Amino acid sequence: MHTSGQYLQSQRRKASRRFTAERAKVPPKETSLPPLDALKLVLGTSSTKFVETVEVHANLNIDPKYTDQQLRSTVSLPKGTGKELRVAVICQGENEKVATEAGADYVGAEDLIETIAGGMMDFDKLVATPDMMPKIAKLGRQLGPRGLMPNPKAGTVTTDIAAAVKDFKGGKVEYRADKAGNVHIGFGKATFKPEDLLQNLKAVQKLGVGGIRAGLRVARLALLWVMMAAALLPLLESIDTNRPSGAKGVYWKTISLCTTMGPAVRVSYQALRDLKLE
């Protein structure tokens, strides 16, 4: 039987050369960095052949087994997630036209319910009107394990179909604490559209980020760092705003950032909380 130390050593041996090289760039997990410095390090560890997602992992001082310490909500990221979500809407009557005009990928009533029951799961979010929820109940086995069952707390059960579709298409993400009180969210990509970079160019100008003349690559990285910071702030503020009533003492234990295949970098919560973006 392996001891915990032997297990950790075996796990370290399994790490690829690429990951080992990237892990050498980051400080020990006991070291917390200012948000912008952490983002620079995280982006510098993105070395795969595909566009990685930038993730935030927060450990909160809550125990979700108690109802007054559960955390589940949504937040609209101002710069989007970098991913085009496929949204399905189950509604009827005039709402079907509203959903289609708002940009929903799939729209229907009983017909869409039957299609999903038959195995069609080609969507990332399922939105429904309250009157359709009794009919959707039979889809629990298909939707529940995938986290796709419409829920009022997640903003996916609503009478304002147009707003819901536009929000999810525009960068609204759902988050919830797991059994251990951890929250895991992807809040951006390693690349963004030129329009998004242009918006952040003004942010770079206002914040006085230097290095723009050092070359196009440096300029793009500077823009991306500010973009990530702009996306991260409302996310963390949302978790603060939705703090469960039963949470006691220090709410935030740790915050770490990483890319899909990269090592984690610890972020200082105090520095993130006090950071102001004009």
Side-chain angles (χ1 to χ4, degrees):
M1 183 175 180
H2 293 295
T3 65
S4 59
Q6 290 173 328
Y7 174 76
L8 290 175
Q9 289 179 359
S10 67
Q11 291 299 101
R12 291 193 186 99
R13 284 197 293 269
K14 292 179 182 179
S16 67
R17 292 181 180 179
R18 182 203 64 81
F19 183 83
T20 301
E22 300 303 339
R23 186 167 56 189
K25 299 178 182 178
V26 304
K29 64 179 182 179
E30 295 81 10
T31 303
S32 297
L33 301 179
L36 195 56
D37 292 342
L39 285 168
K40 291 178 183 179
L41 264 182
V42 166
L43 292 175
T45 63
S46 179
S47 58
T48 60
K49 295 181 179 180
F50 64 92
V51 178
E52 297 181 66
T53 297
V54 181
E55 306 167 358
V56 56
H57 302 272
N59 179 229
L60 306 176
N61 186 27
I62 57 176
D63 188 350
K65 72 179 181 182
Y66 299 106
T67 56
D68 64 348
Q69 295 189 46
Q70 294 175 357
L71 175 64
R72 181 175 185 178
S73 189
T74 59
V75 59
S76 294
L77 301 177
K79 301 303 177 183
T81 62
K83 177 182 178 181
E84 183 67 26
L85 290 185
R86 298 163 297 175
V87 180
V89 179
I90 296 179
C91 58
Q92 58 187 350
E94 185 64 23
N95 279 326
E96 292 191 50
K97 180 182 178 181
V98 172
T100 301
E101 293 177 348
D105 299 277
Y106 302 96
V107 180
E110 286 85 353
D111 56 333
L112 183 53
I113 293 176
E114 293 305 320
T115 301
I116 295 173
M120 195 284 286
M121 301 294 292
D122 192 25
F123 52 86
D124 303 298
K125 287 291 178 182
L126 180 61
V127 178
T129 50
D131 60 302
M132 298 300 294
M133 287 306 296
K135 299 178 181 179
I136 297 174
K138 68 177 185 179
L139 299 177
R141 289 186 178 181
Q142 289 101 318
L143 301 176
R146 295 176 172 85
L148 293 173
M149 178 63 81
N151 186 298
K153 291 183 179 180
T156 47
V157 176
T158 178
T159 55
D160 193 348
I161 293 297
V165 173
K166 291 178 180 177
D167 283 346
F168 284 115
K169 285 283 190 178
K172 187 176 184 179
V173 297
E174 177 187 358
Y175 63 86
R176 65 188 303 174
D178 63 19
K179 294 180 180 180
N182 300 309
V183 177
H184 315 278
I185 310 171
F187 67 99
K189 293 284 186 179
T191 58
F192 283 82
K193 297 179 180 179
E195 292 80 6
D196 294 330
L197 294 177
L198 183 60
Q199 292 181 40
N200 284 284
L201 180 60
K202 291 299 294 181
V204 172
Q205 175 189 347
K206 291 178 181 178
L207 291 175
V209 176
I212 296 298
R213 296 180 181 177
L216 183 59
R217 174 176 170 78
V218 176
R220 286 177 176 172
L221 283 175
L223 290 169
L224 191 54
W225 296 332
V226 175
M227 177 185 293
M228 292 298 182
L232 187 60
L233 280 176
L235 180 60
L236 277 297
E237 288 174 355
S238 176
I239 294 177
D240 267 331
T241 301
N242 291 284
R243 174 174 178 155
S245 60
K248 306 298 182 183
V250 177
Y251 184 41
W252 295 87
K253 289 184 176 179
T254 61
I255 308 173
S256 298
L257 305 178
C258 67
T259 57
T260 306
M261 303 293 288
V265 177
R266 189 70 58 86
V267 179
S268 166
Y269 168 68
Q270 288 75 17
L272 184 62
R273 179 194 61 197
D274 298 336
L275 181 62
K276 303 297 182 182
L277 292 179
E278 297 181 1

